[in-house]
Amino acid sequence: MQTNSLQYYEGCGKEGQIRCIFLSEFHATAGSKISCQVPADYVPKEVFDAVNVYIIPKPHLQRCILTVNAMDMKIVGYPVGIEDQQKYARNAFLFNLCFVCDSWARSVQYEPVVKKLSEYLIMMEEESCFLSKEGDNKLRLQKIFETVIKDLNGQRVTTIVEGDTTIYLKIVTHKPDPPLVKDHMVPLLLVDYKDTPLENWDLTTQQILPYINGINHIARIAAEADVETNLVKSCVQNLVYYGVVQLLPILKYSNVYMTQNLKNLIQSTSLSYACRKYVALNPDKTKPTIQKIFQFYASMTHGVTLRAICQRLCPQNHNIDERKLVIFGLQHKFIRCIHKYPVFTGSVPSGRQKMYTGLQNFDEICCKTGLSPSSIEKDIDKDTNVTVIWK
């Protein structure tokens, strides 16, 4: 645990394994205690005593997920109170099923599992007093915990069969929300999904998929596929969320690109081969050399447009498709596009000046106005109250 604490920290976003599962209950005379724990004694008595007010909390915190991060442990629980004046000495049975992780570990993916397993134990308690009844039930519960911790850590899924009841548990990774998809963004279908049969997609995806090529932006795809733009945005956003599509900037010969992490292209043999194969202008000819490809990427720097690089290096003479080269570089983050953001610095903006806020780049403005980048350039060059920021 000390080694991990040096490498990771709370909020680092790394997932960790389930270190322990325990059941805590409120005993009529002994108070809060751990009645079953796998592995045994993982949570020592002094740690439990320090946090037990959060393990068996007040009634208004019952039936909701509670996470306690203390003493190098993160405890995720779902406290429950079952009221019954006839069954229980204090008119209610209070318990909490808890998963324990490392203090630095991301635990949100375990919350639905903790809740579902707790609801399963509630059902068993209401039907047969499985938890509160003295006997060999705790041994059965220990075996359930052993199965859950082993399967979820190893395969992320488990099946529990207890009598006539079967419960399925699965850890689902929670992904961050996808970015807002705008008209000027260009979706690129990832290689893994290019061979997926068209009929396997939903109807909207089937309509727009033929137009997703890493070149067409959202507004053009909507127009060519004859699908409402907002529907295309929602569809693409969903594809981005599931890792099917990646969003790129519009490819223009007036664009300026900067390199980053370019050494990865040389260091990885498989990546070099994939790049040579992807950027080939004519697949039937000899693949372009990695030296020529690297030279093309290395020429990308501030103030140098893609057009200028193509005029100087003539990539097509070396069987290189410059558009695919740019797409591959953006996809694998060898390069990034430097965008231009016009900012109106005068007193009262009018007309198109209202769009020059510094928050919208040239691509976005062109899509909204229907004008070409050169027209916007001319408009800005004439206006002394507009400054362009490159970033």
Side-chain angles (χ1 to χ4, degrees):
M1 207 174 289
Q2 291 179 350
T3 303
N4 286 336
S5 65
L6 294 175
Q7 295 174 346
Y8 304 120
Y9 54 90
E10 167 66 11
C12 66
K14 299 287 186 181
E15 291 188 8
Q17 289 194 325
I18 304 167
R19 299 299 182 185
C20 170
I21 301 177
F22 71 83
L23 180 78
S24 172
E25 59 184 71
F26 188 84
H27 191 268
T29 55
S32 300
K33 66 173 188 175
I34 294 177
S35 57
C36 183
Q37 182 174 191
V38 175
D41 301 322
Y42 185 87
V43 179
K45 187 177 184 300
E46 58 270 20
V47 172
F48 180 76
D49 289 343
V51 299
N52 65 23
V53 292
Y54 305 107
I55 305 301
I56 305 292
K58 299 295 183 183
H60 63 276
L61 291 177
Q62 292 175 1
R63 304 268 179 150
C64 64
I65 293 289
L66 290 181
T67 302
V68 181
N69 198 342
M71 301 182 179
D72 292 327
M73 293 184 184
K74 183 179 283 190
I75 303 171
V76 183
Y78 185 74
V80 174
I82 303 175
E83 295 184 2
D84 193 312
Q85 295 181 2
Q86 298 178 350
K87 277 186 186 179
Y88 307 119
R90 291 205 175 191
N91 304 327
F93 178 65
L94 308 179
F95 74 91
N96 192 355
L97 168 78
C98 297
F99 282 18
V100 183
C101 310
D102 294 316
S103 60
W104 51 264
R106 187 171 184 262
S107 60
V108 67
Q109 71 276 10
Y110 296 127
E111 292 178 3
V113 180
V114 170
K115 182 178 179 180
K116 188 173 182 179
L117 189 53
S118 297
E119 298 286 356
Y120 173 66
L121 295 178
I122 293 170
M123 181 188 68
M124 294 175 70
E125 171 63 25
E126 290 175 340
E127 288 180 355
S128 62
C129 295
F130 181 79
L131 300 177
S132 59
K133 194 177 185 180
E134 296 295 332
D136 63 351
N137 286 349
K138 290 298 186 289
L139 290 175
R140 291 161 62 191
L141 187 62
Q142 183 174 341
K143 289 181 180 178
I144 290 174
F145 286 177
E146 287 171 354
T147 301
V148 170
I149 198 169
K150 177 185 174 185
D151 290 353
L152 291 185
N153 280 339
Q155 299 141 20
R156 300 177 71 88
V157 294
T158 188
T159 303
I160 303 168
V161 180
E162 182 63 34
D164 296 331
T165 307
T166 302
I167 184 171
Y168 302 95
L169 301 174
K170 181 178 182 179
I171 298 171
V172 179
T173 302
H174 287 249
K175 298 181 180 180
D177 292 336
L180 188 66
V181 178
K182 299 183 179 180
D183 289 0
H184 66 284
M185 294 180 173
V186 179
L188 173 69
L189 190 67
L190 299 181
V191 177
D192 295 346
Y193 298 92
K194 284 190 175 179
D195 297 327
T196 304
L198 196 61
E199 61 270 14
N200 288 4
W201 303 100
D202 62 79
L203 292 176
T204 305
T205 307
Q206 287 183 32
Q207 284 183 269
I208 70 172
L209 206 57
Y211 305 98
I212 295 179
N213 56 6
I215 303 295
N216 295 334
H217 54 72
I218 295 292
R220 177 176 290 181
I221 291 171
E224 294 191 5
D226 195 22
V227 178
E228 206 274 325
T229 304
N230 287 332
L231 193 58
V232 174
K233 288 180 184 177
S234 298
C235 181
V236 170
Q237 188 176 40
N238 191 53
L239 294 174
V240 171
Y241 179 80
Y242 287 105
V244 177
V245 155
Q246 185 177 349
L247 294 174
L248 305 177
I250 295 176
L251 197 159
K252 305 188 302 293
Y253 282 90
S254 59
N255 282 356
V256 172
Y257 298 95
M258 296 285 287
T259 58
Q260 56 184 15
N261 303 318
L262 194 54
K263 63 180 182 180
N264 295 341
L265 179 63
I266 299 297
Q267 292 175 346
S268 172
T269 306
S270 59
L271 196 59
S272 298
Y273 179 79
C275 182
R276 292 175 60 211
K277 182 179 178 182
Y278 183 83
V279 306
L281 184 65
N282 187 342
D284 297 328
K285 291 185 178 180
T286 304
K287 292 182 182 68
T289 63
I290 196 64
Q291 288 79 11
K292 283 294 178 183
I293 292 172
F294 190 88
Q295 182 187 15
F296 196 97
Y297 279 135
S299 299
M300 295 180 175
T301 187
H302 189 75
V304 180
T305 64
L306 179 61
R307 180 182 292 107
I309 296 172
C310 291
Q311 289 172 344
R312 180 162 59 88
L313 298 180
C314 303
Q316 296 188 9
N317 292 346
H318 304 282
N319 197 27
I320 295 175
D321 186 332
E322 65 274 10
R323 297 187 303 173
K324 287 186 176 180
L325 192 74
V326 169
I327 291 171
F328 192 89
L330 291 170
Q331 184 182 358
H332 292 85
K333 296 181 170 50
F334 299 146
I335 60 173
R336 61 184 179 91
C337 185
I338 306 298
H339 293 285
K340 292 188 283 186
Y341 294 82
V343 182
F344 178 73
T345 57
S347 54
V348 181
S350 61
R352 279 202 294 274
Q353 290 176 340
K354 294 178 180 179
M355 302 180 73
Y356 302 156
T357 60
L359 300 176
Q360 302 180 82
N361 60 40
F362 267 43
D363 291 348
E364 197 167 352
I365 293 170
C366 288
C367 275
K368 286 183 177 179
T369 61
L371 298 172
S372 65
S374 58
S375 300
I376 301 292
E377 286 271 14
K378 290 177 182 177
D379 182 54
I380 289 173
D381 288 343
K382 295 176 184 176
D383 195 335
T384 56
N385 290 319
V386 177
T387 302
V388 176
I389 298 174
W390 295 70
K391 63 177 183 178

PDB file of all heavy atoms in Angstrom, residues 299-321:
ATOM      1  N   SER A 299       8.736  18.929 -40.721  1.00  0.00           N
ATOM      2  CA  SER A 299       8.678  20.255 -41.366  1.00  0.00           C
ATOM      3  C   SER A 299       7.513  21.095 -40.843  1.00  0.00           C
ATOM      4  O   SER A 299       7.426  22.293 -41.142  1.00  0.00           O
ATOM      5  CB  SER A 299       8.532  20.096 -42.883  1.00  0.00           C
ATOM      6  OG  SER A 299       9.635  19.394 -43.420  1.00  0.00           O
ATOM      7  N   MET A 300       6.618  20.465 -40.113  1.00  0.00           N
ATOM      8  CA  MET A 300       5.464  21.188 -39.585  1.00  0.00           C
ATOM      9  C   MET A 300       5.889  22.001 -38.375  1.00  0.00           C
ATOM     10  O   MET A 300       6.325  21.464 -37.367  1.00  0.00           O
ATOM     11  CB  MET A 300       4.353  20.206 -39.199  1.00  0.00           C
ATOM     12  CG  MET A 300       3.768  19.464 -40.381  1.00  0.00           C
ATOM     13  SD  MET A 300       2.470  18.307 -39.892  1.00  0.00           S
ATOM     14  CE  MET A 300       1.925  17.728 -41.515  1.00  0.00           C
ATOM     15  N   THR A 301       5.752  23.297 -38.482  1.00  0.00           N
ATOM     16  CA  THR A 301       6.147  24.188 -37.394  1.00  0.00           C
ATOM     17  C   THR A 301       5.333  25.472 -37.477  1.00  0.00           C
ATOM     18  O   THR A 301       4.596  25.699 -38.447  1.00  0.00           O
ATOM     19  CB  THR A 301       7.653  24.496 -37.460  1.00  0.00           C
ATOM     20  OG1 THR A 301       8.020  25.235 -36.302  1.00  0.00           O
ATOM     21  CG2 THR A 301       8.005  25.300 -38.711  1.00  0.00           C
ATOM     22  N   HIS A 302       5.455  26.294 -36.481  1.00  0.00           N
ATOM     23  CA  HIS A 302       4.662  27.523 -36.405  1.00  0.00           C
ATOM     24  C   HIS A 302       4.974  28.443 -37.602  1.00  0.00           C
ATOM     25  O   HIS A 302       6.134  28.671 -37.930  1.00  0.00           O
ATOM     26  CB  HIS A 302       4.962  28.253 -35.095  1.00  0.00           C
ATOM     27  CG  HIS A 302       4.041  29.416 -34.834  1.00  0.00           C
ATOM     28  ND1 HIS A 302       2.732  29.258 -34.433  1.00  0.00           N
ATOM     29  CD2 HIS A 302       4.241  30.740 -34.942  1.00  0.00           C
ATOM     30  CE1 HIS A 302       2.164  30.439 -34.289  1.00  0.00           C
ATOM     31  NE2 HIS A 302       3.065  31.361 -34.589  1.00  0.00           N
ATOM     32  N   GLY A 303       3.912  28.925 -38.230  1.00  0.00           N
ATOM     33  CA  GLY A 303       4.072  29.860 -39.340  1.00  0.00           C
ATOM     34  C   GLY A 303       4.216  29.209 -40.701  1.00  0.00           C
ATOM     35  O   GLY A 303       4.263  29.908 -41.723  1.00  0.00           O
ATOM     36  N   VAL A 304       4.301  27.874 -40.752  1.00  0.00           N
ATOM     37  CA  VAL A 304       4.457  27.163 -42.028  1.00  0.00           C
ATOM     38  C   VAL A 304       3.160  26.407 -42.332  1.00  0.00           C
ATOM     39  O   VAL A 304       2.752  25.533 -41.560  1.00  0.00           O
ATOM     40  CB  VAL A 304       5.636  26.168 -41.979  1.00  0.00           C
ATOM     41  CG1 VAL A 304       5.778  25.442 -43.314  1.00  0.00           C
ATOM     42  CG2 VAL A 304       6.922  26.884 -41.607  1.00  0.00           C
ATOM     43  N   THR A 305       2.518  26.752 -43.443  1.00  0.00           N
ATOM     44  CA  THR A 305       1.244  26.121 -43.784  1.00  0.00           C
ATOM     45  C   THR A 305       1.472  24.760 -44.445  1.00  0.00           C
ATOM     46  O   THR A 305       2.572  24.456 -44.937  1.00  0.00           O
ATOM     47  CB  THR A 305       0.427  27.002 -44.739  1.00  0.00           C
ATOM     48  OG1 THR A 305       1.155  27.120 -45.972  1.00  0.00           O
ATOM     49  CG2 THR A 305       0.178  28.376 -44.156  1.00  0.00           C
ATOM     50  N   LEU A 306       0.422  23.965 -44.446  1.00  0.00           N
ATOM     51  CA  LEU A 306       0.482  22.664 -45.116  1.00  0.00           C
ATOM     52  C   LEU A 306       0.766  22.846 -46.601  1.00  0.00           C
ATOM     53  O   LEU A 306       1.509  22.056 -47.207  1.00  0.00           O
ATOM     54  CB  LEU A 306      -0.847  21.920 -44.904  1.00  0.00           C
ATOM     55  CG  LEU A 306      -0.982  20.547 -45.563  1.00  0.00           C
ATOM     56  CD1 LEU A 306       0.057  19.582 -45.029  1.00  0.00           C
ATOM     57  CD2 LEU A 306      -2.386  19.992 -45.355  1.00  0.00           C
ATOM     58  N   ARG A 307       0.222  23.881 -47.205  1.00  0.00           N
ATOM     59  CA  ARG A 307       0.447  24.148 -48.632  1.00  0.00           C
ATOM     60  C   ARG A 307       1.936  24.384 -48.904  1.00  0.00           C
ATOM     61  O   ARG A 307       2.501  23.845 -49.876  1.00  0.00           O
ATOM     62  CB  ARG A 307      -0.363  25.369 -49.072  1.00  0.00           C
ATOM     63  CG  ARG A 307      -0.184  25.724 -50.561  1.00  0.00           C
ATOM     64  CD  ARG A 307      -0.962  26.961 -50.960  1.00  0.00           C
ATOM     65  NE  ARG A 307      -2.406  26.725 -50.913  1.00  0.00           N
ATOM     66  CZ  ARG A 307      -3.218  27.218 -49.985  1.00  0.00           C
ATOM     67  NH1 ARG A 307      -2.711  27.988 -49.014  1.00  0.00           N
ATOM     68  NH2 ARG A 307      -4.498  26.971 -50.007  1.00  0.00           N
ATOM     69  N   ALA A 308       2.583  25.169 -48.041  1.00  0.00           N
ATOM     70  CA  ALA A 308       4.009  25.477 -48.229  1.00  0.00           C
ATOM     71  C   ALA A 308       4.859  24.213 -48.129  1.00  0.00           C
ATOM     72  O   ALA A 308       5.811  24.020 -48.895  1.00  0.00           O
ATOM     73  CB  ALA A 308       4.455  26.507 -47.203  1.00  0.00           C
ATOM     74  N   ILE A 309       4.509  23.324 -47.201  1.00  0.00           N
ATOM     75  CA  ILE A 309       5.257  22.075 -47.038  1.00  0.00           C
ATOM     76  C   ILE A 309       5.090  21.185 -48.269  1.00  0.00           C
ATOM     77  O   ILE A 309       6.056  20.582 -48.767  1.00  0.00           O
ATOM     78  CB  ILE A 309       4.791  21.334 -45.758  1.00  0.00           C
ATOM     79  CG1 ILE A 309       5.120  22.158 -44.521  1.00  0.00           C
ATOM     80  CG2 ILE A 309       5.443  19.960 -45.661  1.00  0.00           C
ATOM     81  CD1 ILE A 309       4.536  21.602 -43.235  1.00  0.00           C
ATOM     82  N   CYS A 310       3.860  21.115 -48.777  1.00  0.00           N
ATOM     83  CA  CYS A 310       3.594  20.288 -49.969  1.00  0.00           C
ATOM     84  C   CYS A 310       4.333  20.823 -51.192  1.00  0.00           C
ATOM     85  O   CYS A 310       4.848  20.046 -52.006  1.00  0.00           O
ATOM     86  CB  CYS A 310       2.090  20.229 -50.241  1.00  0.00           C
ATOM     87  SG  CYS A 310       1.168  19.281 -49.012  1.00  0.00           S
ATOM     88  N   GLN A 311       4.388  22.149 -51.329  1.00  0.00           N
ATOM     89  CA  GLN A 311       5.093  22.741 -52.464  1.00  0.00           C
ATOM     90  C   GLN A 311       6.591  22.484 -52.387  1.00  0.00           C
ATOM     91  O   GLN A 311       7.254  22.293 -53.414  1.00  0.00           O
ATOM     92  CB  GLN A 311       4.820  24.254 -52.501  1.00  0.00           C
ATOM     93  CG  GLN A 311       3.389  24.596 -52.904  1.00  0.00           C
ATOM     94  CD  GLN A 311       3.080  26.080 -52.754  1.00  0.00           C
ATOM     95  OE1 GLN A 311       3.807  26.809 -52.077  1.00  0.00           O
ATOM     96  NE2 GLN A 311       1.997  26.526 -53.388  1.00  0.00           N
ATOM     97  N   ARG A 312       7.121  22.410 -51.181  1.00  0.00           N
ATOM     98  CA  ARG A 312       8.565  22.220 -51.017  1.00  0.00           C
ATOM     99  C   ARG A 312       8.969  20.750 -51.112  1.00  0.00           C
ATOM    100  O   ARG A 312       9.975  20.409 -51.746  1.00  0.00           O
ATOM    101  CB  ARG A 312       9.008  22.804 -49.673  1.00  0.00           C
ATOM    102  CG  ARG A 312      10.494  22.677 -49.389  1.00  0.00           C
ATOM    103  CD  ARG A 312      10.923  23.630 -48.295  1.00  0.00           C
ATOM    104  NE  ARG A 312      10.200  23.388 -47.054  1.00  0.00           N
ATOM    105  CZ  ARG A 312      10.562  22.520 -46.104  1.00  0.00           C
ATOM    106  NH1 ARG A 312      11.652  21.782 -46.297  1.00  0.00           N
ATOM    107  NH2 ARG A 312       9.876  22.378 -45.013  1.00  0.00           N
ATOM    108  N   LEU A 313       8.178  19.846 -50.518  1.00  0.00           N
ATOM    109  CA  LEU A 313       8.577  18.441 -50.432  1.00  0.00           C
ATOM    110  C   LEU A 313       7.917  17.540 -51.476  1.00  0.00           C
ATOM    111  O   LEU A 313       8.348  16.403 -51.677  1.00  0.00           O
ATOM    112  CB  LEU A 313       8.263  17.895 -49.023  1.00  0.00           C
ATOM    113  CG  LEU A 313       8.997  18.574 -47.853  1.00  0.00           C
ATOM    114  CD1 LEU A 313       8.587  17.941 -46.534  1.00  0.00           C
ATOM    115  CD2 LEU A 313      10.503  18.484 -48.037  1.00  0.00           C
ATOM    116  N   CYS A 314       6.865  18.040 -52.133  1.00  0.00           N
ATOM    117  CA  CYS A 314       6.170  17.267 -53.169  1.00  0.00           C
ATOM    118  C   CYS A 314       5.869  15.828 -52.697  1.00  0.00           C
ATOM    119  O   CYS A 314       6.433  14.849 -53.233  1.00  0.00           O
ATOM    120  CB  CYS A 314       6.986  17.226 -54.457  1.00  0.00           C
ATOM    121  SG  CYS A 314       7.395  18.844 -55.114  1.00  0.00           S
ATOM    122  N   PRO A 315       5.022  15.664 -51.722  1.00  0.00           N
ATOM    123  CA  PRO A 315       4.787  14.328 -51.135  1.00  0.00           C
ATOM    124  C   PRO A 315       4.256  13.308 -52.142  1.00  0.00           C
ATOM    125  O   PRO A 315       4.582  12.116 -52.030  1.00  0.00           O
ATOM    126  CB  PRO A 315       3.756  14.609 -50.033  1.00  0.00           C
ATOM    127  CG  PRO A 315       3.129  15.918 -50.392  1.00  0.00           C
ATOM    128  CD  PRO A 315       4.184  16.698 -51.078  1.00  0.00           C
ATOM    129  N   GLN A 316       3.484  13.743 -53.105  1.00  0.00           N
ATOM    130  CA  GLN A 316       2.909  12.793 -54.065  1.00  0.00           C
ATOM    131  C   GLN A 316       3.973  12.145 -54.944  1.00  0.00           C
ATOM    132  O   GLN A 316       3.768  11.042 -55.460  1.00  0.00           O
ATOM    133  CB  GLN A 316       1.850  13.495 -54.909  1.00  0.00           C
ATOM    134  CG  GLN A 316       0.651  13.968 -54.074  1.00  0.00           C
ATOM    135  CD  GLN A 316      -0.488  14.497 -54.916  1.00  0.00           C
ATOM    136  OE1 GLN A 316      -0.478  14.375 -56.138  1.00  0.00           O
ATOM    137  NE2 GLN A 316      -1.485  15.097 -54.266  1.00  0.00           N
ATOM    138  N   ASN A 317       5.112  12.803 -55.087  1.00  0.00           N
ATOM    139  CA  ASN A 317       6.220  12.196 -55.833  1.00  0.00           C
ATOM    140  C   ASN A 317       6.837  11.017 -55.080  1.00  0.00           C
ATOM    141  O   ASN A 317       7.561  10.203 -55.667  1.00  0.00           O
ATOM    142  CB  ASN A 317       7.320  13.237 -56.119  1.00  0.00           C
ATOM    143  CG  ASN A 317       6.851  14.300 -57.106  1.00  0.00           C
ATOM    144  OD1 ASN A 317       5.817  14.127 -57.764  1.00  0.00           O
ATOM    145  ND2 ASN A 317       7.588  15.393 -57.200  1.00  0.00           N
ATOM    146  N   HIS A 318       6.542  10.939 -53.795  1.00  0.00           N
ATOM    147  CA  HIS A 318       7.075   9.855 -52.956  1.00  0.00           C
ATOM    148  C   HIS A 318       5.961   8.897 -52.517  1.00  0.00           C
ATOM    149  O   HIS A 318       6.100   8.182 -51.528  1.00  0.00           O
ATOM    150  CB  HIS A 318       7.780  10.437 -51.727  1.00  0.00           C
ATOM    151  CG  HIS A 318       8.870  11.409 -52.057  1.00  0.00           C
ATOM    152  ND1 HIS A 318      10.121  11.007 -52.493  1.00  0.00           N
ATOM    153  CD2 HIS A 318       8.891  12.778 -52.060  1.00  0.00           C
ATOM    154  CE1 HIS A 318      10.875  12.075 -52.711  1.00  0.00           C
ATOM    155  NE2 HIS A 318      10.150  13.162 -52.467  1.00  0.00           N
ATOM    156  N   ASN A 319       4.854   8.903 -53.262  1.00  0.00           N
ATOM    157  CA  ASN A 319       3.706   8.033 -52.986  1.00  0.00           C
ATOM    158  C   ASN A 319       3.091   8.312 -51.613  1.00  0.00           C
ATOM    159  O   ASN A 319       2.629   7.411 -50.916  1.00  0.00           O
ATOM    160  CB  ASN A 319       4.095   6.544 -53.084  1.00  0.00           C
ATOM    161  CG  ASN A 319       2.863   5.647 -53.204  1.00  0.00           C
ATOM    162  OD1 ASN A 319       1.819   6.060 -53.700  1.00  0.00           O
ATOM    163  ND2 ASN A 319       2.974   4.419 -52.727  1.00  0.00           N
ATOM    164  N   ILE A 320       3.088   9.590 -51.217  1.00  0.00           N
ATOM    165  CA  ILE A 320       2.496   9.993 -49.942  1.00  0.00           C
ATOM    166  C   ILE A 320       1.264  10.847 -50.209  1.00  0.00           C
ATOM    167  O   ILE A 320       1.324  11.841 -50.946  1.00  0.00           O
ATOM    168  CB  ILE A 320       3.506  10.805 -49.090  1.00  0.00           C
ATOM    169  CG1 ILE A 320       4.697   9.930 -48.699  1.00  0.00           C
ATOM    170  CG2 ILE A 320       2.834  11.367 -47.842  1.00  0.00           C
ATOM    171  CD1 ILE A 320       5.788  10.696 -47.954  1.00  0.00           C
ATOM    172  N   ASP A 321       0.135  10.441 -49.613  1.00  0.00           N
ATOM    173  CA  ASP A 321      -1.086  11.241 -49.651  1.00  0.00           C
ATOM    174  C   ASP A 321      -1.042  12.177 -48.444  1.00  0.00           C
ATOM    175  O   ASP A 321      -1.182  11.740 -47.302  1.00  0.00           O
ATOM    176  CB  ASP A 321      -2.314  10.322 -49.572  1.00  0.00           C
ATOM    177  CG  ASP A 321      -3.625  11.074 -49.745  1.00  0.00           C
ATOM    178  OD1 ASP A 321      -3.664  12.274 -49.408  1.00  0.00           O
ATOM    179  OD2 ASP A 321      -4.608  10.461 -50.195  1.00  0.00           O
TER     180      ASP A 321
END
